[in-house]
Amino acid sequence: MTVKIDLKRCNGCKNLDAPRCEKLCPGDLMTLNPETGKAYIRSEADCWDCMVCVKACPMLAIETKLPYTLAYFGASLKPKTGKDKITWTLKNSDGTVETFEIETRF
Amino acid sequence: MKKIDADILIIGGGTAGCLAAVEAKEKNPDLKVVILEKGHIDRSGCLAAGMNAINAYINPGETAESFVKYVRNDARGLIREDLVRSMGQELNSVVKRVEDWGLPILKDTEGNYQARGRWNIKINGESLKPILADAARKAGAEIYNRVAVTNLLTQDGRVTGAVGFGLRDGEFYAVSAKATIVATGGASGIYKPNNDGSAHHKIWYSPFNTGAGYAMGIRAGAEMTSFEMRFVALRTKDAIAPTGTLALGFGAKQVNALGEEFMVEKYADVGGNGAPTCYRTYGPTLENKEGRGPCYMDTTHLTSDDSYNLKKSYLNMYPHIVLYWAGNGKDPSVEPVEIAGTEPYITGGHCQAGYWITEDRGTTLPGLYAAGDVAGGAPYKFVSGCWAEGVIAARAAVEYVMTGSNPDVSDAVLAAEEKRVRAPQQRWDESGDGVSPREMEEKLQSVMDEYAGGIKTFYEISEARLKIAGKEIEKLKGQTQFLIARDLHELNLAHEVIDRIDVAHVLIKHLLHRQETRWPGFTTNQDFPERDDEEWLKFINTRLNPETGDVEIVERAYSQVVS
Ligand SMILES: Cc1cc2nc3c(=O)[nH]c(=O)nc-3n(C[C@H](O)[C@H](O)[C@H](O)COP(=O)(O)OP(=O)(O)OC[C@H]3O[C@@H](n4cnc5c(N)ncnc54)[C@H](O)[C@@H]3O)c2cc1C
Ligand code: SF4
Ligand code: SF4
């Protein structure tokens, strides 16, 4: 399973102490390409789909993609992380959209 | 080389490790408490994605003793009752503590926690791990992120700290400690997983908890217990998401392809839908084997509102199942959710594989304490039980520190360990030829799957097969010298597979020794298919004899504490 990185959006977290995805991935999978200064995943197959990097990316540049063997094309799940809540937008493959707003800490 | 002196060293800043750090600093703020964490403490270990329930809680009307009775039955009569009771006594206070740090726990209209089944409460736990990490930081623990610990340091049988390497800085770390708490979680990746290839890490247990804590204890001669009580989890097929959310949270029952509620019909004598956890895996495994699969959690009674709330609940813990349903056009209120057993995991959290410990969580090695999934004898731990154990271990470690001074660590010992740690990278630099960690991992997994009771054989074992597995694992142990690593990331992968092989080696001894079937579904022994309390209501422990290098079996008595 894996994540896809939108290279147009990724800015390498230039203004932060460390790239968020690289800092937090529990599997040490995300890092920057020294040539482009943009993020890449070292091994797609090693991703756990925990979505930690997806939720942490300040540029909303990362998306979880299930392999085609597990799920058909067309759906998406996008989190937006706030200080004490998270908002998820789920696009079903039939085009319908559901949103979920959940408190995360108080 | 980075040398650090600590009063208390905590290996693994996960669920148990964070609580241990806070408790130690609260008990004695003057102590230097150091955490070495392989990932980043904000999002490491089992809690990376979050949680939606606390699965061990003493709800109103229950007691630590009724908890012990329940867990004993769930584990088919064999648990360390002293450990489960002492954990039970701490559960509610640790939960309150974490709530006070900011964890949202769902409440009913009267302000009581919302129960989800007998021992569970509902939470919005997406940020549980950062909440714990903040608490450890605030308490004043010194945290080193991205340091993979590779071995314990010992002196005359006493544990005097640990060593490891930095995944970012490449430094070799040596921590000398008056007391050490190991909290590295359990082990996944020993067996071939449900999905392979591009989805080989689509597993339930954290693929980054690789049994390091077990392996370093084994190598240091600590006594380990109950590896043969493997955990085979009942999960949703493909996405491998927990089914407790469906069963306890949303009242779904297991059915086979014929629509039969087989747990009720065939397992009434052991509790039907409420049968011990191992039976809830055994039931559908047998249905599949005998041609009545696939099996499902029947969710078709749900309304579309329920379905929305179900998704919401998973988003707190296992978000991609929601994406999986969306991609496949599946709606749980319309069609039932297919289920599958996972590959066997080794864990002292759901089951009881791990360090043999005293009630204060001291291991058989003086100076070393164990807490959480790495600690043995006390199943049904879950997040809150791991917190409880972290707290209990920290209290004992704080006491122990008073008696000791910081041991000197010999440079020769450190140099030898650094050489062992860096060997795969050196091999790559010098010859460029050898075995990649992934290749070795796949070999290990296929041997274990086929010959040591993996998915392929419906979790069934036999002596003839296990002996083959034993031989192959010996060969693999001999092959670890050929591992190659091109960078620090791969060096970590190399040590992960070395650790898994050491765990598998001990596991096979345990599986061979228990000549009965105590936990059908987790491990079904084809040579001895019945449970045999007369002979086997006892613990099987192992210990590496440092002189001979052999793994020796030690049997330990079961003792009933709660009547
Ligand atoms: C997907 C999933 C969902 C779950 N859902 C629930 C739930 O809803 N409710 C519930 O009560 N329980 C749940 N559990 C169970 C519970 O999360 C675990 O039992 C518990 O978190 C284990 O705590 P631990 O401290 O032993 O391990 P972890 O929290 O995993 O911590 C182990 C730590 O050690 C670190 N580590 C590992 N190796 C090394 C090394 N060599 N050097 C340094 N550090 C190392 C890891 O990076 C990690 O931070 C779930 C488990 C999983 C996997
Ligand atoms: S967190 Fe996002 S923006 Fe930052 S480096 Fe990673 S992908 Fe790029
Ligand atoms: S989803 Fe999780 S495991 Fe996968 S790259 Fe992102 S942080 Fe790492």
XYZ file of all heavy atoms in Angstrom, chain B residues 466-511:
372
model
N 7.140 -28.777 12.368
C 7.904 -27.844 13.207
C 9.395 -28.163 13.176
O 10.238 -27.272 13.232
C 7.399 -27.896 14.653
C 6.073 -27.177 14.910
C 5.583 -27.476 16.323
C 6.212 -25.668 14.704
N 9.701 -29.449 13.079
C 11.124 -29.812 13.055
C 11.793 -29.275 11.794
O 12.952 -28.851 11.825
C 11.284 -31.326 13.182
C 10.975 -31.770 14.620
C 11.593 -33.097 14.947
C 11.681 -33.258 16.464
N 11.420 -34.638 16.877
N 11.058 -29.303 10.699
C 11.618 -28.722 9.461
C 11.826 -27.224 9.659
O 12.871 -26.669 9.322
C 10.677 -28.992 8.271
C 10.533 -30.498 8.050
C 11.194 -28.297 7.009
C 9.499 -30.880 7.005
N 10.814 -26.577 10.235
C 10.942 -25.135 10.479
C 12.171 -24.861 11.332
O 12.969 -23.954 11.037
C 9.687 -24.602 11.181
N 12.359 -25.669 12.383
C 13.501 -25.482 13.279
C 14.822 -25.541 12.526
O 15.705 -24.706 12.726
N 14.926 -26.520 11.641
C 16.170 -26.669 10.869
C 16.408 -25.455 9.978
O 17.524 -24.951 9.857
C 16.071 -27.915 9.978
C 16.640 -29.146 10.623
C 16.825 -30.222 9.559
C 16.892 -31.572 10.252
N 16.356 -32.660 9.470
N 15.347 -25.012 9.313
C 15.494 -23.863 8.403
C 15.869 -22.598 9.167
O 16.661 -21.790 8.687
C 14.194 -23.637 7.615
C 13.838 -24.754 6.648
C 14.883 -24.942 5.548
O 15.418 -23.936 5.059
O 15.169 -26.116 5.203
N 15.293 -22.437 10.344
C 15.607 -21.238 11.129
C 17.070 -21.273 11.582
O 17.753 -20.251 11.597
C 14.647 -21.092 12.341
C 13.202 -20.912 11.863
C 15.056 -19.926 13.241
C 12.940 -19.713 10.985
N 17.553 -22.461 11.922
C 18.983 -22.568 12.265
C 19.832 -22.098 11.088
O 20.805 -21.378 11.250
C 19.364 -24.029 12.601
C 18.765 -24.577 13.884
C 19.415 -24.019 15.156
O 20.429 -23.308 15.050
O 18.867 -24.285 16.254
N 19.429 -22.532 9.885
C 20.198 -22.125 8.694
C 20.140 -20.618 8.524
O 21.135 -19.971 8.219
C 19.640 -22.795 7.435
C 20.039 -24.252 7.294
C 19.548 -24.787 5.942
C 19.198 -26.254 6.053
N 18.278 -26.718 5.021
N 18.936 -20.066 8.719
C 18.792 -18.606 8.570
C 19.662 -17.868 9.582
O 20.262 -16.838 9.261
C 17.333 -18.194 8.752
C 16.459 -18.227 7.508
C 15.016 -17.899 7.874
C 16.957 -17.233 6.464
N 19.722 -18.395 10.798
C 20.573 -17.753 11.810
C 22.024 -17.688 11.316
O 22.709 -16.687 11.493
C 20.505 -18.513 13.141
C 19.314 -18.117 14.003
C 19.170 -19.008 15.221
C 20.106 -18.628 16.360
N 19.681 -17.416 17.075
N 22.438 -18.760 10.669
C 23.796 -18.795 10.122
C 23.988 -17.835 8.957
O 25.110 -17.443 8.634
N 22.879 -17.469 8.319
C 22.966 -16.609 7.129
C 22.954 -15.110 7.459
O 23.228 -14.294 6.583
C 21.786 -16.912 6.200
C 21.877 -18.258 5.516
C 22.475 -18.161 4.128
O 22.016 -17.373 3.319
N 23.499 -18.947 3.864
N 22.614 -14.757 8.687
C 22.473 -13.316 8.979
C 23.791 -12.570 8.767
O 23.788 -11.369 8.526
C 21.971 -13.064 10.419
O 22.829 -13.729 11.333
C 20.551 -13.569 10.608
N 24.909 -13.285 8.826
C 26.210 -12.641 8.573
C 26.313 -12.118 7.130
O 27.188 -11.311 6.829
C 27.345 -13.628 8.848
C 27.231 -14.869 7.972
C 28.361 -15.853 8.181
O 29.523 -15.477 8.184
N 28.016 -17.120 8.355
N 25.451 -12.604 6.250
C 25.514 -12.165 4.850
C 24.566 -11.007 4.539
O 24.429 -10.595 3.385
C 25.226 -13.345 3.910
C 26.149 -14.511 4.132
C 25.657 -15.766 4.476
C 27.530 -14.340 4.022
C 26.513 -16.838 4.699
C 28.405 -15.405 4.243
C 27.890 -16.661 4.588
N 23.895 -10.511 5.551
C 22.972 -9.390 5.316
C 23.736 -8.165 4.827
O 24.833 -7.870 5.307
C 22.226 -9.034 6.602
C 20.987 -9.882 6.923
C 20.561 -9.665 8.371
C 19.836 -9.557 5.971
N 23.117 -7.459 3.885
C 23.725 -6.211 3.413
C 22.744 -5.054 3.603
O 21.525 -5.225 3.538
C 24.111 -6.277 1.911
C 22.994 -6.946 1.102
C 25.448 -6.938 1.700
C 23.196 -6.888 -0.378
N 23.310 -3.885 3.851
C 22.496 -2.682 4.026
C 23.211 -1.522 3.347
O 24.376 -1.264 3.628
C 22.312 -2.396 5.512
N 22.474 -0.843 2.452
C 23.108 0.243 1.703
C 23.102 1.560 2.461
O 23.863 2.458 2.164
C 22.404 0.421 0.350
C 22.708 -0.710 -0.618
C 21.846 -0.621 -1.839
N 20.444 -0.797 -1.482
C 19.448 -0.854 -2.359
N 19.703 -0.728 -3.644
N 18.216 -1.023 -1.954
N 22.179 1.688 3.408
C 22.116 2.936 4.174
C 21.548 2.634 5.560
O 21.293 1.477 5.896
C 21.270 3.986 3.431
C 19.877 3.449 3.101
O 19.413 2.512 3.796
O 19.240 3.949 2.156
N 21.333 3.683 6.337
C 20.884 3.478 7.723
C 19.478 2.892 7.777
O 19.148 2.108 8.665
C 20.938 4.803 8.491
C 22.351 5.327 8.753
C 22.313 6.793 9.176
C 23.053 4.483 9.815
N 18.647 3.292 6.823
C 17.291 2.726 6.785
C 17.368 1.210 6.604
O 16.697 0.449 7.301
C 16.498 3.378 5.643
C 15.122 2.807 5.490
N 14.106 3.082 6.374
C 14.604 1.950 4.566
C 13.014 2.425 5.999
N 13.291 1.734 4.904
N 18.201 0.778 5.694
C 18.332 -0.668 5.456
C 19.043 -1.364 6.616
O 18.782 -2.538 6.891
C 19.065 -0.925 4.139
C 18.204 -0.552 2.941
C 18.775 -1.028 1.621
O 19.912 -1.553 1.572
O 18.073 -0.852 0.610
N 19.929 -0.633 7.278
C 20.593 -1.218 8.444
C 19.540 -1.559 9.507
O 19.587 -2.609 10.146
C 21.629 -0.234 9.011
C 22.520 -0.799 10.128
C 23.337 -1.990 9.638
C 23.448 0.278 10.685
N 18.588 -0.659 9.652
C 17.499 -0.926 10.592
C 16.697 -2.161 10.142
O 16.387 -3.039 10.945
C 16.594 0.309 10.691
C 15.481 0.102 11.696
O 15.704 -0.425 12.773
N 14.274 0.495 11.328
N 16.398 -2.234 8.850
C 15.658 -3.400 8.341
C 16.441 -4.687 8.600
O 15.861 -5.733 8.925
C 15.393 -3.257 6.839
C 14.503 -2.093 6.389
C 14.351 -2.117 4.871
C 13.127 -2.153 7.042
N 17.770 -4.602 8.468
C 18.605 -5.791 8.698
C 18.480 -6.252 10.147
O 18.294 -7.443 10.425
C 20.063 -5.490 8.351
N 18.538 -5.290 11.080
C 18.419 -5.694 12.490
C 17.012 -6.172 12.825
O 16.832 -7.046 13.669
C 18.895 -4.574 13.413
C 20.397 -4.501 13.406
N 21.169 -5.407 14.073
C 21.253 -3.697 12.728
C 22.448 -5.155 13.835
N 22.527 -4.124 13.018
N 16.038 -5.616 12.138
C 14.672 -6.095 12.369
C 14.539 -7.573 11.985
O 13.884 -8.347 12.688
C 13.667 -5.245 11.586
C 13.540 -3.839 12.164
C 12.542 -2.947 11.429
O 12.160 -3.277 10.275
O 12.159 -1.929 11.990
N 15.173 -7.946 10.897
C 15.025 -9.357 10.487
C 15.869 -10.260 11.385
O 15.454 -11.372 11.732
C 15.282 -9.555 8.967
C 16.719 -9.419 8.585
C 14.770 -10.933 8.525
N 17.021 -9.786 11.831
C 17.826 -10.573 12.790
C 17.002 -10.827 14.053
O 16.938 -11.947 14.570
C 19.135 -9.816 13.137
C 20.070 -9.782 11.926
C 19.836 -10.453 14.343
C 21.293 -8.886 12.084
N 16.338 -9.792 14.525
C 15.522 -9.935 15.736
C 14.364 -10.908 15.515
O 14.061 -11.756 16.354
C 14.968 -8.570 16.170
C 16.065 -7.659 16.722
O 17.152 -8.171 17.058
O 15.845 -6.435 16.808
N 13.724 -10.785 14.364
C 12.591 -11.683 14.087
C 13.043 -13.133 14.037
O 12.329 -14.038 14.484
C 11.953 -11.305 12.744
C 11.082 -10.066 12.835
C 10.729 -9.573 11.449
N 9.601 -8.665 11.489
C 9.464 -7.623 10.672
N 10.390 -7.355 9.765
N 8.408 -6.853 10.749
N 14.211 -13.367 13.485
C 14.711 -14.747 13.401
C 14.976 -15.283 14.812
O 14.636 -16.428 15.129
C 15.971 -14.818 12.505
C 15.580 -14.572 11.041
C 16.678 -16.170 12.650
C 16.750 -14.370 10.091
N 15.542 -14.448 15.682
C 15.774 -14.894 17.062
C 14.452 -15.206 17.764
O 14.362 -16.144 18.559
C 16.566 -13.831 17.848
C 18.060 -13.888 17.512
O 18.505 -14.906 16.954
O 18.781 -12.908 17.803
N 13.428 -14.417 17.484
C 12.117 -14.673 18.088
C 11.534 -15.988 17.527
O 11.029 -16.832 18.271
C 11.149 -13.493 17.835
C 9.735 -13.837 18.301
C 11.644 -12.229 18.539
N 11.630 -16.167 16.216
C 11.088 -17.376 15.582
C 11.764 -18.631 16.133
O 11.127 -19.664 16.362
C 11.271 -17.294 14.068
N 13.046 -18.533 16.347
C 13.839 -19.652 16.869
C 13.271 -20.124 18.221
O 13.048 -21.315 18.444
C 15.287 -19.159 17.017
C 16.240 -20.206 17.474
N 17.071 -20.017 18.548
C 16.495 -21.456 17.023
C 17.797 -21.110 18.734
N 17.475 -21.994 17.820
N 13.014 -19.157 19.101
C 12.478 -19.484 20.427
C 11.020 -19.946 20.314
O 10.589 -20.896 20.972
C 12.611 -18.248 21.351
C 11.810 -18.428 22.624
C 14.082 -18.000 21.664
N 10.278 -19.296 19.445
C 8.866 -19.640 19.248
C 8.699 -21.123 18.898
O 7.811 -21.807 19.416
C 8.298 -18.737 18.133
C 6.946 -19.096 17.551
C 5.860 -19.057 18.620
C 6.584 -18.138 16.412
N 9.548 -21.613 18.031
C 9.430 -23.015 17.605
C 9.633 -23.963 18.794
O 8.921 -24.956 18.931
C 10.413 -23.308 16.454
C 9.920 -22.578 15.207
C 10.527 -24.805 16.176
C 10.921 -22.522 14.086
N 10.552 -23.620 19.676
C 10.767 -24.453 20.884
C 9.481 -24.499 21.718
O 9.096 -25.538 22.245
C 11.889 -23.882 21.763
C 13.176 -23.602 21.033
C 14.032 -24.842 20.906
C 15.302 -24.480 20.141
N 16.034 -25.606 19.617
N 8.847 -23.349 21.843
C 7.601 -23.305 22.614
C 6.520 -24.147 21.948
O 5.812 -24.904 22.601
C 7.112 -21.852 22.718
C 7.822 -21.038 23.752
N 7.289 -20.773 24.981
C 9.030 -20.420 23.734
C 8.135 -20.021 25.686
N 9.193 -19.784 24.941
N 6.389 -23.984 20.637
C 5.324 -24.704 19.918
C 5.517 -26.213 20.025
O 4.557 -26.973 20.171
C 5.296 -24.272 18.449
C 4.828 -22.835 18.169
C 5.081 -22.461 16.713
C 3.345 -22.657 18.512
